[in-house]
């Protein structure tokens, strides 16, 4: 069975709007999330990911409302992450129409959360989101949207989370994020070698030729944000380039 590579637009959301910056800084408005998600669905996206980048309690209801509206109009898997701290948060997001849930900082703070979510909802629901950067010659995990560096080895943490029940790894390179200089191929290769679950490559897409090398390095799916939001590339452009490079797409 050949594996079809997924193309996933990512919408970083703050206070009900899509935002974009470089290396997680200088966020600027990039549009209405529901409208953008619908546009990407119409362009042939395989999934859409929402990340609540300023996940605060007061922002929560906005996010639930947005997920519900999107799920009513967009008929592809919807992953939602940002500020998920408990199985109750997961239940509520799934109840509003999310298909998968991304967890990051809360799982690092309390690794048992990974198993709790997987046990209650199944591994297929759980996407472990990793914001990774190079630090003193190795890959480490960061938290709080890339602002706080931990001493946690990214590969060790990914391995542990898979054992605890994570169904997918969303591997975002903080070094490459928003730079448009291409995906971090070394990071993707390292994750592929230790992972028994799908790896989603994120961070650094700038041109149509950046995606196939990420797949060659071991990504099962490629995720991008600003190149789509700015209208530089469509989902179709990316799929055509992947197909030309011999990668199977839907």
């Amino acid at each position: 069975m050949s594996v079809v590579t997924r193309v996933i637009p990512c919408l970083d959301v703050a206070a009900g709007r899509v935002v974009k910056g470089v290396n997680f800084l200088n966020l600027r408005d990039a549009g209405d999330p529901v409208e953008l998600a619908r546009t990407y669905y119409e362009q042939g996206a395989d999934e859409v990911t929402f990340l609540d980048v300023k996940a605060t309690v007061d922002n929560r209801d906005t996010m639930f409302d947005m997920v519900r509206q999107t799920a009513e109009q967009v008929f592809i898997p919807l992953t939602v992450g940002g500020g998920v701290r408990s199985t109750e948060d997961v239940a509520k997001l799934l109840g509003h129409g999310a298909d998968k849930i991304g967890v990051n900082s809360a799982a690092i703070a309390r690794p048992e959360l990974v198993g709790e979510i997987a046990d209650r909802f199944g591994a297929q629901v759980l996407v472990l989101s990793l914001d990774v950067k190079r630090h003193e010659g190795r890959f480490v995990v960061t938290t709080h949207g890339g602002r706080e560096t931990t001493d946690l080895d990214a590969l060790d943490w990914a391995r542990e989370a898979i054992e605890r029940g994570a169904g997918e790894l969303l591997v975002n390179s903080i070094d490459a994020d928003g730079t448009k200089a291409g995906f971090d191929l070394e990071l993707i290769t390292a994750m592929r070698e230790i992972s028994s679950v799908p790896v989603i490559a994120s961070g650094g897409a700038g041109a149509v030729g950046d995606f196939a090398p990420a797949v060659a390095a071991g990504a099962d799916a490629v995720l991008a944000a600003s190149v789509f939001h700015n209208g530089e590339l469509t989902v179709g452009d990316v799929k055509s380039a992947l197909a030309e490079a011999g990668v199977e797409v839907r």
Side-chain angles (χ1 to χ4, degrees), residues 148-190:
E148 295 186 19
T149 303
T150 71
D151 58 0
L152 191 58
D153 184 280
L155 300 170
D156 289 346
W157 168 231
R159 208 182 274 114
E160 178 186 338
I162 291 165
E163 283 169 10
R164 288 179 179 272
E168 267 186 306
L169 302 178
L170 169 52
V171 182
N172 184 43
S173 168
I174 297 295
D175 301 316
D177 179 73
T179 63
K180 301 193 181 173
F183 290 94
D184 188 331
L185 302 180
E186 192 189 338
L187 173 59
I188 296 166
T189 301

Side-chain angles (χ1 to χ4, degrees), residues 180-200:
K180 301 193 181 173
F183 290 94
D184 188 331
L185 302 180
E186 192 189 338
L187 173 59
I188 296 166
T189 301
M191 282 292 175
R192 174 76 281 151
E193 283 170 359
I194 63 100
S195 178
S196 55
V197 301
V199 173
I200 305 165

Side-chain angles (χ1 to χ4, degrees), residues 80-171:
V80 183
V84 173
R85 295 184 181 87
S86 67
T87 57
E88 291 313 308
D89 291 341
V90 174
K92 196 161 179 192
L93 283 165
L94 294 175
H96 280 73
D99 298 285
K100 301 189 218 176
I101 306 298
V103 293
N104 185 344
S105 302
I108 292 167
R110 199 173 68 79
E112 296 78 23
L113 180 63
V114 175
E116 290 165 7
I117 295 170
D119 289 346
R120 184 167 164 189
F121 305 102
Q124 78 287 347
V125 160
L126 182 57
V127 179
L128 183 78
S129 191
L130 299 124
D131 290 329
V132 181
K133 72 189 226 182
R134 285 179 168 74
H135 181 66
E136 294 173 356
R138 64 193 185 110
F139 293 116
V140 297
V141 172
T142 67
T143 61
H144 301 84
R147 290 189 295 277
E148 295 186 19
T149 303
T150 71
D151 58 0
L152 191 58
D153 184 280
L155 300 170
D156 289 346
W157 168 231
R159 208 182 274 114
E160 178 186 338
I162 291 165
E163 283 169 10
R164 288 179 179 272
E168 267 186 306
L169 302 178
L170 169 52
V171 182

Side-chain angles (χ1 to χ4, degrees), residues 7 18 57 68-69 104 150 156 163 192 194 198 211 215 237 244 249:
V7 177
V18 175
V57 176
R68 182 184 52 73
Q69 287 179 43
N104 185 344
T150 71
D156 289 346
E163 283 169 10
R192 174 76 281 151
I194 63 100
F211 294 88
V215 177
D237 294 337
E244 277 170 33
V249 290

